[in-house]
Each structure stands twice: as structure tokens, then as C-alpha cells.
């Protein structure tokens, strides 16, 4: 599904803004006819989570109704019109003027419907959002804590198995857009580099049987184009850039890819996409970008902010990138779900390397309800790759975070997901982030071994030295056996801003300084470690539990308000120091 853009042949209207909202604690909305529109709603913002906006709804994870009104823009009478949602958490049912358009399950990924029943004037769009959490949703909550699945978190409210607040609502923009009936439906761009030449392989999928495609790539003083006939709604062509300027964090060179579809000699659709020419590969225990080893420095993050909850916020997006740049990060993981498409567009422009992750957090393989969880997970993997595969910033897929991979059958389920990901995108390494390490039955399927490690926090509690020693031995052993690159997906400690202690104790700012300093130095010295991400860029909201002061995870290097903790300057020094392979 293409990201909606205004072009010479496409037009969009963003429905973000104030909508009308009603909680439906008794589930009576359908019987009361709210599918056609409802009265007496209270104002809500789209996009945003309802939990921190609506009085009394912080811990409400049930059904709620959203409504807005709009007119059909001038000139759209003979167009194909769709309504696209960037993300609704967790389940959405959508009606336009009382006509059911469709449903979608799972947050963090886009979906769209043809706007059947659209009128010229007075359109009422109604969305029923079901934010229910449960054992067979992905990610899950209220799980059965079978010892084999090794759920380790203490009791928490709400009882999610994962460690971030299960915000719900319409989380990303709702866009109404128009195209011709003959239009581009999908686009896959892959790049290769041969000497100085960049090869750009473009595959198109169309609707409505247009006849021809003209593809133009321009930028950096070059313009190349090719034409192809479209057969059976598809076309494939390769363009060559004789002296390609490659995309990298140091030089995020982008080209403009423009596609025009023709029919009967006229252009019927035009779409454009920024592309980057680059390669990414695993070679032995190294990770290579454009043939050169790269080392990932950065963060696990969350889409999380005051009041907005998990709602898309251009403000935090820009600020978080400014913080990452200031501290010297070159990468992040979209822990623990796909981030807004706007984030990836920005990362393309700024040269930030992204590991894109599915919403599959703490998957467990207890047979109860497993088929349902596997179905959703597979759908999410597919939708993620189809959404993000044209972004040069995305360098690796993460299929899951901390799955409970002790049961032997987990390996088969992971093998299936790896096959799916590699078939959809043979150009990027695939991994998942494990906490079980050597005990993980699916570890060997990964192209890059990704581990979360909290030695000196959850283990070797309060003893950084012992944690470092154990981490070192463990990593050497895993590397000796697998001979693959190792990436540390998370390491960090809860740190209450303003809490100080000498000698350092857990939760103090000094402890975070010492922990991050020692861990970064250790990992930097291991040649097979291809990167490490601090957990987390910022403090974030989570469930209430005895280990989460005021419902916050305090492992941020920055506070939730985006102010630095003491360790930020130390990390900045470490990350600005040249690594040995980077020295002239
Ligand atoms: C890891 C999880 C992450 C948590 C973190 C923590 O991947 O989601 O927030 O631990 O406990 O296990 O802080």
C-alpha cells in the first residue's frame, strides 16, 4: 500500500484535528445506531491516544466511537477515493454515512478502504475502536503464566505482558485521497551497486489496466528514465545511474523516483518517492553498508509523550532526532512496533539507520489461542515489510522482541516467519531480539544475533563489574558458536532524574553513568559486536507495578520531557570518539 502523497495526479485531505468521541462501556453503540453518527460526543484529538486525554479513561481498554464530518473536495466526482488510516490501536470498524467500509485488526500499521457511499456534501465518518487487550492479541495481555513460557515481569496494572502502556485510539493521521481509476497500486524498489554504477530495480503493480509506465530518477545532476509496457497490471524495469551517489549516514543522498502511468497517450497517474542507492549485507561477523563495516550506536525508543500517548507527534519526532544527533547516535530500532511512516521519511533524509520491528512483543507459544496469535503476527510481518521496504534507512527487519522461545515448537514458527520475511525482501538481514540467548531455540535463524542484556540491573544486581564480566564471557561464547555478528538491542538502567549517590547505587544518575560507560567500552572492544542500542532514548509510560515508579520506565538517557540526564554527556563523549576502524 502506497504512502499517500499530493502529486500532479493525486490529491489528499488530512482529516487530523478535532473529532467527536464517545466511550461505549456497555457496548450499546451499534444498537443505538451510532454507526450512522452519534450526538453528545466529547471532543478528542486525532491522532492521539484517548487514555491521557479523556477523563476517567486512562485504564479503559474497551470500545469507543470516533466521528468526523467532511465534504468531498471539488473535482473529485470521477475519481477513485479512499480513506486511509495510519494506525488504529487495536481494532477498527469503519462506516461512511452508515455504510460499513471494513475492519482492521492490530495497531501500528496502515489500512485503507474505498470510500463507497461518499457524497458530495455532509459525509459522516464513524470509527469504532476496540482497545481491548487480551491473551491472543499481539502483543498480548492477561496471559496465562505457564512456567515454561517464563514470563518474568511482576504483576502489573493493566496486566500487559510487555513493558509499555497499551495506549489506544486513532494513533496516526486519517487521510482521504483521490486518484484516477487507472493508478499505481504498489511499488517495490531495490538497489544494487556495481563499481560506480547504481542499479535501481523498480517493480510496479497497477489498478485499472493502464498501458504504460515511465520511470524517471533524478538528483545530483543526473536524470535517467525508462519506459515499459504494463501487462497483467505489472511492470518491471531496471534503471542505471552511471555515477551513483550512495546513501549513508554520513551522506544521506536521495534521488527522486517519479512514476507516470499512461493510457491512450495521456498521463493518468503520477507518484514520487525518495529513494537511496545503497547495499546492506552480513559478511562473516560484520555488517556492511555499501561494502564497509558499520557499527550501530543508538537507542531503543517508543512513540510516547505527555497527553498524546502513542499518537503521532511531529514535535517529538523532530526533537528525538535532534537529541539522537546531539548525542552521536546513528541508528535506532522501532521498538516494539512499526513507527509512523513519517519517521522513516525523516530517517531517510537525515541518514539514520533503522531496524524496523513488528508489533510482536513477548510472543508465547502456549497452545491456547496460538493459531490466532500466529495469524496476526504473520499479517503484521507482511504488512510491515510491504510498508517499509522502499526506505533506504531500513537496514534490518526485527520479527519480534523477547519471544518466550523455550518451547521447541517455537523454532518452527520462527522458521516460518523468517521464510516469509526473506521471500518478501531478500535484500535485508532478518533478526529478532532475544533475551534467552543460548537457551533460545530460534537464535540460529538470525542473520545478526540480537540480544537484550541488563547485566548489572536485572542480573548481577547492583554490581556493574560482575555484570560486565558475565556479559563479556557470554558474548564470546555465543560468538564462538555462531560466528555471526552480534547486536545488543537493549542495555540500560532505571535512573530517577535528580537522584544522586556516591558511591553510585541503583536508580541514581551516577549508576547510569557508570553502567553505560562500562558497557559501551566493553562492547566497543568486541570486534564481532556490530552495534548496541541504549534502552531507552527517553523515559516512557508503562503499566503500574512495584518496579515502575509512577508508571514510568526510567531507563531513558533523557527524561520524558526530553531533558538530558547526567549520563547523556558521557555517552556523547564516548560516541563522538573515533572508533579504531574509523581512524584515518
Ligand atoms: C526488556 C524489554 C523492554 C523493557 C525493558 C525493561 O524488551 O520492552 O522495557 O526490558 O525492563 O526486556 O526496561
Amino acid at each position: 500500500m502506497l504512502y499517500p502523497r499530493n502529486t500532479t495526479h493525486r490529491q489528499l485531505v488530512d482529516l487530523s484535528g478535532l473529532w467527536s468521541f464517545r466511550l461505549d462501556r456497555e457496548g450499546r453503540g451499534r444498537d443505538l445506531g451510532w454507526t450512522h453518527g452519534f450526538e453528545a460526543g466529547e471532543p478528542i484529538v486525532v491522532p492521539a491516544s484517548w487514555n491521557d486525554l479523556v477523563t476517567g479513561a486512562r485504564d479503559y481498554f474497551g470500545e469507543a466511537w470516533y466521528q468526523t464530518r467532511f465534504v468531498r473536495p471539488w473535482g473529485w466526482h470521477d475519481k477513485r477515493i479512499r480513506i486511509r488510516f495510519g494506525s488504529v490501536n487495536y481494532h477498527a470498524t469503519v462506516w461512511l454515512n452508515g455504510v460499513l467500509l471494513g475492519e482492521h485488526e492490530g495497531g501500528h500499521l496502515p489500512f485503507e478502504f474505498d470510500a463507497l457511499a461518499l457524497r458530495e456534501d455532509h459525509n459522516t465518518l464513524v470509527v469504532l475502536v476496540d482497545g481491548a487487550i487480551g491473551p491472543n492479541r499481539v502483543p498480548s495481555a492477561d496471559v496465562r503464566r505457564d512456567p515454561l513460557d517464563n514470563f518474568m515481569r511482576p504483576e502489573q496494572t493493566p496486566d500487559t505482558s510487555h513493558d509499555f502502556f497499551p495506549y489506544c485510539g486513532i494513533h496516526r493521521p486519517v487521510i482521504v485521497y483521490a486518484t484516477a481509476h487507472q493508478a499505481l497500486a504498489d511499488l517495490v524498489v531495490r538497489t544494487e551497486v556495481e563499481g560506480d554504477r547504481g542499479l535501481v530495480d523498480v517493480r510496479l503493480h497497477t489498478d485499472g489496466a493502464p498501458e504504460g509506465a515511465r520511470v524517471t530518477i533524478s538528483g545530483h545532476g543526473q536524470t535517467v528514465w525508462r519506459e515499459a509496457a504494463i501487462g497483467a497490471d505489472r511492470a518491471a524495469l531496471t534503471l542505471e545511474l552511471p555515477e551513483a551517489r550512495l546513501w549513508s549516514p554520513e551522506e544521506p543522498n536521495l534521488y527522486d523516483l517519479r512514476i507516470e502511468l499512461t493510457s491512450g497517450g495521456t498521463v493518468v497517474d503520477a507518484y514520487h518517492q525518495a529513494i537511496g542507492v545503497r547495499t546492506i549485507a552480513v559478511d562473516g561477523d560484520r555488517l556492511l553498508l555499501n561494502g564497509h563495516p558499520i557499527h550501530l550506536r543508538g537507542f531503543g525508543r517508543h512513540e510516547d509523550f505527555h497527553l498524546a500517548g502513542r499518537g503521532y507527534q511531529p514535535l517529538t519526532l523532530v526533537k528525538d532526532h535532534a537529541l539522537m544527533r546531539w548525542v552521536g547516535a546513528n541508528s535506532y530500532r522501532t521498538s516494539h512496533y512499526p513507527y509512523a511512516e513519517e519517521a522513516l521519511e525523516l530517517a531517510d533524509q537525515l541518514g539514520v539507520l533503522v531496524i524496523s520491528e513488528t508489533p510482536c512483543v513477548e510472543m508465547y507459544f502456549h497452545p491456547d489461542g496460538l493459531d490466532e496469535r500466529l495469524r496476526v503476527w504473520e499479517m503484521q510481518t507482511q504488512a510491515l515489510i510491504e510498508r517499509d521496504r522502499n526506505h533506504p534507512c531500513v537496514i534490518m527487519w526485527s520479527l519480534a522482541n523477547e519471544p518466550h522461545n523455550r518451547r521447541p515448537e517455537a523454532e518452527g514458527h520462527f522458521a516460518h516467519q523468517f521464510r516469509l520475511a526473506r521471500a518478501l525482501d531478500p535484500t535485508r538481514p532478518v533478526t529478532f531480539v532475544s533475551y534467552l540467548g543460548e537457551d533460545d531455540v530460534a537464535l540460529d535463524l538470525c542473520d545478526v544475533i540480537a540480544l537484550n542484556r541488563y547485566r548489572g540491573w536485572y542480573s548481577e544486581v547492583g554490581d556493574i563489574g560482575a555484570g560486565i564480566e558475565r556479559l563479556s564471557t557470554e558474548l564470546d561464547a555465543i560468538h564462538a558458536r555462531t560466528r555471526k555478528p552480534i547486536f545488543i538491542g537493549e542495555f540500560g538502567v532505571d535512573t530517577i532524574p535528580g537522584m544522586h549517590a556516591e558511591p553510585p547505587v541503583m536508580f541514581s544518575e551516577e549508576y547510569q553513568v557508570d553502567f553505560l560507560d562500562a558497557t559501551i567500552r566493553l562492547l566497543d572492544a568486541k570486534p564481532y559486536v556490530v552495534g548496541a542500542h541504549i534502552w531507552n532514548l527517553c523515559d516512557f509510560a508503562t503499566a503500574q507495578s512495584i518496579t515502575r515508579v509512577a508508571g514510568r520506565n526510567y531507563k531513558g538517557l533523557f527524561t520524558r520531557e526530553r531533558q538530558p540526564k547526567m549520563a547523556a554527556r558521557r555517552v556523547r563523549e564516548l560516541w563522538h570518539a573515533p572508533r579504531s576502524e574509523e581512524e584515518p
Side-chain angles (χ1 to χ4, degrees):
M1 190 193 310
L2 296 172
Y3 181 66
R5 298 181 200 285
N6 272 318
T7 74
T8 50
H9 290 70
R10 294 173 165 239
Q11 209 177 359
L12 63 81
V13 173
D14 186 344
L15 297 183
S16 298
L18 289 179
W19 288 40
S20 189
F21 178 79
R22 283 193 77 159
L23 294 175
D24 190 6
R25 292 182 193 273
E26 284 86 38
R28 295 187 325 137
R30 286 175 199 254
D31 293 342
L32 294 172
W34 292 0
T35 56
H36 290 262
F38 52 86
E39 301 299 322
E42 59 181 303
I44 195 157
V45 178
V46 169
S49 304
W50 69 59
N51 309 78
D52 293 342
L53 281 185
V54 176
T55 309
R58 211 261 326 259
D59 290 330
Y60 177 70
F61 307 101
E63 293 191 338
W65 296 75
Y66 285 73
Q67 169 181 297
T68 191
R69 295 211 160 89
F70 63 99
V71 295
R72 190 182 71 198
W74 182 79
W76 283 22
H77 58 280
D78 59 349
K79 300 284 184 265
R80 178 169 177 193
I81 301 169
R82 275 166 277 189
I83 303 184
R84 186 187 198 266
F85 295 79
S87 159
V88 176
N89 214 327
Y90 179 84
H91 185 284
T93 314
V94 180
W95 292 266
L96 181 63
N97 299 326
V99 176
L100 176 67
L101 296 189
E103 298 179 37
H104 182 265
E105 175 173 3
H108 319 288
L109 287 162
F111 56 94
E112 65 181 19
F113 305 113
D114 273 298
L116 304 173
L118 189 75
R119 299 180 193 133
E120 188 175 351
D121 222 339
H122 303 302
N123 291 291
T124 303
L125 179 66
V126 170
V127 185
L128 169 59
V129 180
D130 179 6
I133 52 179
N136 300 328
R137 298 209 144 173
V138 181
S140 310
D142 300 321
V143 294
R144 180 178 154 154
R145 286 170 190 262
D146 189 310
L148 199 50
D149 296 316
N150 201 35
F151 283 99
M152 292 174 307
R153 289 188 200 292
E155 203 177 302
Q156 48 186 40
T157 300
D159 193 14
T160 58
S161 57
H162 49 281
D163 182 30
F164 50 94
F165 194 83
Y167 280 115
C168 31
I170 301 182
H171 281 164
R172 294 186 191 149
V174 182
I175 305 285
V176 189
Y177 72 99
T179 65
H181 291 273
Q182 293 179 316
L184 187 68
D186 208 357
L187 171 67
V188 183
V189 181
R190 292 180 188 157
T191 61
E192 274 175 59
V193 179
E194 278 179 8
D196 285 348
R197 296 188 314 154
L199 298 177
V200 183
D201 178 54
V202 179
R203 291 172 203 197
L204 310 177
H205 183 199
T206 59
D207 283 329
E211 290 156 11
R214 180 188 174 98
V215 178
T216 310
I217 300 178
S218 52
H220 310 288
Q222 290 186 35
T223 298
V224 295
W225 59 272
R226 283 199 59 187
E227 287 179 341
I230 298 172
D233 284 335
R234 278 165 211 279
L237 22 83
T238 303
L239 290 91
E240 187 185 318
L241 288 162
E243 280 175 29
R245 298 275 293 270
L246 303 188
W247 184 95
S248 69
E250 297 74 32
E251 274 189 59
N253 295 312
L254 292 175
Y255 288 87
D256 184 51
L257 174 83
R258 184 173 167 84
I259 291 156
E260 286 167 326
L261 303 183
T262 53
S263 206
T266 43
V267 176
V268 290
D269 191 17
Y271 188 77
H272 56 84
Q273 166 92 40
I275 61 160
V277 180
R278 58 118 188 84
T279 60
I280 180 81
V282 170
D283 175 33
D285 56 17
R286 298 178 313 161
L287 186 61
L288 304 180
L289 181 78
N290 300 329
H292 303 294
I294 44 163
H295 187 84
L296 306 175
R297 303 171 168 131
F299 297 91
R301 296 176 52 212
H302 268 296
E303 291 183 322
D304 170 274
F305 198 55
H306 295 285
L307 300 181
R310 188 136 298 121
Y312 168 62
Q313 287 289 309
L315 274 177
T316 43
L317 183 63
V318 167
K319 182 66 180 172
D320 286 358
H321 280 79
L323 295 179
M324 287 192 283
R325 171 161 293 211
W326 177 83
V327 81
N330 62 7
S331 54
Y332 69 87
R333 173 170 59 121
T334 69
S335 45
H336 293 310
Y337 37 78
Y339 286 6
E341 290 149 288
E342 292 76 7
L344 299 179
E345 300 247 316
L346 189 64
D348 285 344
Q349 289 164 26
L350 298 178
V352 179
L353 306 166
V354 177
I355 299 172
S356 207
E357 185 161 274
T358 75
C360 180
V361 189
E362 303 221 14
M363 174 58 83
Y364 65 111
F365 296 92
H366 190 284
D368 283 359
L370 180 59
D371 287 349
E372 178 60 10
R373 296 193 296 280
L374 293 176
R375 180 185 66 77
V376 176
W377 181 23
E378 178 167 336
M379 196 173 78
Q380 292 170 333
T381 299
Q382 174 151 357
L384 168 71
I385 296 176
E386 288 178 354
R387 192 195 73 160
D388 290 355
R389 61 187 162 193
N390 296 334
H391 287 284
C393 66
V394 176
I395 53 157
M396 184 149 54
W397 304 113
S398 166
L399 297 174
N401 180 70
E402 300 199 349
H404 296 271
N405 282 356
R406 280 191 199 279
R407 295 175 192 262
E409 54 272 33
E411 188 191 1
H413 297 306
F414 262 91
H416 174 73
Q417 291 282 332
F418 271 89
R419 273 195 300 275
L420 173 68
R422 289 179 177 135
L424 287 165
D425 179 13
T427 71
R428 290 176 176 88
V430 188
T431 190
F432 69 89
V433 187
S434 171
Y435 75 98
L436 286 168
E438 283 290 46
D439 296 337
D440 194 311
V441 298
L443 195 71
D444 290 354
L445 293 166
C446 298
D447 295 319
V448 172
I449 306 285
L451 299 170
N452 289 345
R453 282 294 172 266
Y454 289 88
R455 308 230 176 274
W457 189 256
Y458 292 123
S459 66
E460 294 74 47
V461 179
D463 188 341
I464 295 171
I468 290 291
E469 225 177 283
R470 173 134 178 242
L471 181 60
S472 178
T473 320
E474 179 193 18
L475 294 181
D476 288 346
I478 294 179
H479 176 251
R481 191 181 65 72
T482 63
R483 292 282 154 202
K484 292 188 178 179
I486 297 182
F487 162 69
I488 302 299
E490 296 176 18
F491 63 108
V493 292
D494 283 86
T495 307
I496 310 296
M499 181 166 283
H500 294 283
E502 184 53 48
V505 293
M506 293 172 78
F507 294 99
S508 69
E509 298 216 32
E510 286 78 2
Y511 195 86
Q512 189 184 37
V513 173
D514 287 2
F515 173 90
L516 294 180
D517 184 279
T519 313
I520 290 172
R521 285 177 197 278
L522 172 83
L523 298 175
D524 268 1
K526 303 241 176 239
Y528 56 79
V529 171
V530 293
H533 284 173
I534 294 174
W535 190 253
N536 190 283
L537 179 66
C538 299
D539 296 339
F540 59 91
T542 185
Q544 298 178 70
S545 84
I546 51 161
T547 63
R548 294 290 178 262
V549 179
R552 293 275 180 278
N553 183 310
Y554 274 104
K555 293 193 186 70
L557 188 62
F558 297 86
T559 64
R560 202 181 189 210
E561 294 74 22
R562 274 56 185 169
Q563 295 303 324
K565 297 184 191 168
M566 234 172 85
R569 279 182 183 270
R570 176 67 60 86
V571 172
R572 188 168 187 257
E573 280 161 26
L574 290 168
W575 282 354
H576 278 94
R579 290 173 51 76
S580 48
E581 82 260 23
E582 291 169 358
E583 270 165 347

